[in-house]
Amino acid sequence: MKPQGNILFCGVGGQGILLASEITALALLASGLDAKKSEVHGMAQRGGSVVAHLRFGEKVYSPLIDPGQADFCLAFEVMESVRYLPFLKKESKVIVNTHRIAPPAVATGKMVYPADLLSELTGRGITVYPMDGFSIAKNVGEIRAANIALVGALSTFLPIAEEVFLDVLKKRIPRKLDENIAAFQEGRKITA
């Protein structure tokens, strides 16, 4: 039986969430697995919540992940990691970009960004891998590569050879390829 799993990608518009889910799906397909994904854009262009579901295995019939069934969560923003808590289970692995993006209520001063959100996850026994994807991206010379750094961290848990991911990156992101590959490899160090 081939490996199977459910991956939830979440964050806010403009963080490259959909590209990250697409690259992961293409790498799974190139590895001989079936993969299906679904996206919810919402108010993505205005900084709203964005989520993508990705399921893989020998044969996948639906791209949607049921609540409590996500094996992995790739959270591109801290608060978004908690927003999708109902999809997680105790065995879930959550890779969280520690960068905070203030929602409008926080930006206008009506509310305060909650402190120590990651304890909401760890307090439930969920394994959390915090990483500063934006610092990694900045250090490799391409600030837009934070999403690829997160994919790199996720890649260590998936049944996909590193070379397959690199081939997908070459085809899907030909511009700034060296920087994206560097971000991918730095991300892998977080969870390896």
Side-chain angles (χ1 to χ4, degrees):
M1 183 171 177
K2 292 185 176 181
Q4 60 185 20
N6 301 319
I7 309 169
L8 187 73
F9 299 76
C10 60
V12 298
Q15 292 190 290
I17 297 156
L18 302 182
L19 177 61
S21 66
E22 179 184 331
I23 287 169
T24 305
L26 291 171
L28 288 162
L29 291 169
S31 296
L33 293 165
D34 189 18
K36 290 190 172 42
K37 72 180 196 94
S38 176
E39 307 164 350
V40 177
H41 303 223
M43 297 291 285
Q45 292 181 345
R46 296 187 180 191
S49 184
V50 174
V51 64
H53 293 223
L54 172 60
R55 299 183 67 225
F56 65 91
E58 186 168 344
K59 182 66 182 164
V60 177
Y61 295 98
S62 169
L64 299 179
I65 301 170
D66 288 331
Q69 295 301 310
D71 298 298
F72 305 99
C73 175
L74 206 58
F76 291 69
E77 198 277 333
V78 178
M79 194 179 304
E80 294 299 313
S81 69
V82 177
R83 182 186 310 270
Y84 292 96
L85 191 56
F87 283 93
L88 304 179
K89 55 188 173 184
K90 189 174 181 180
E91 299 79 21
S92 297
K93 292 179 175 40
V94 181
I95 300 164
V96 182
N97 186 5
T98 55
H99 184 74
R100 294 178 174 193
I101 298 175
V106 173
T108 59
K110 292 182 179 176
M111 298 185 80
V112 177
Y113 196 101
D116 199 19
L117 286 169
L118 296 182
S119 65
E120 290 290 326
L121 300 173
T122 57
R124 296 173 190 239
I126 296 169
T127 305
V128 178
Y129 298 89
M131 64 180 289
D132 187 346
F134 288 102
S135 289
I136 291 173
K138 187 177 178 183
N139 289 339
V140 301
E142 174 53 272
I143 192 67
R144 294 175 294 180
N147 60 340
I148 304 304
L150 270 80
V151 170
L154 173 68
S155 72
T156 63
F157 297 114
L158 300 179
I160 307 170
E162 182 179 356
E163 294 74 25
V164 173
F165 265 110
L166 297 179
D167 286 343
V168 171
L169 289 175
K170 289 173 188 172
K171 293 174 185 167
R172 188 59 185 86
I173 311 175
R175 294 181 59 193
K176 300 275 187 172
L177 178 62
D178 291 341
E179 292 84 351
N180 278 285
I181 288 175
F184 178 83
Q185 292 173 334
E186 287 300 312
R188 286 179 65 87
K189 294 176 184 175
I190 301 296
T191 51

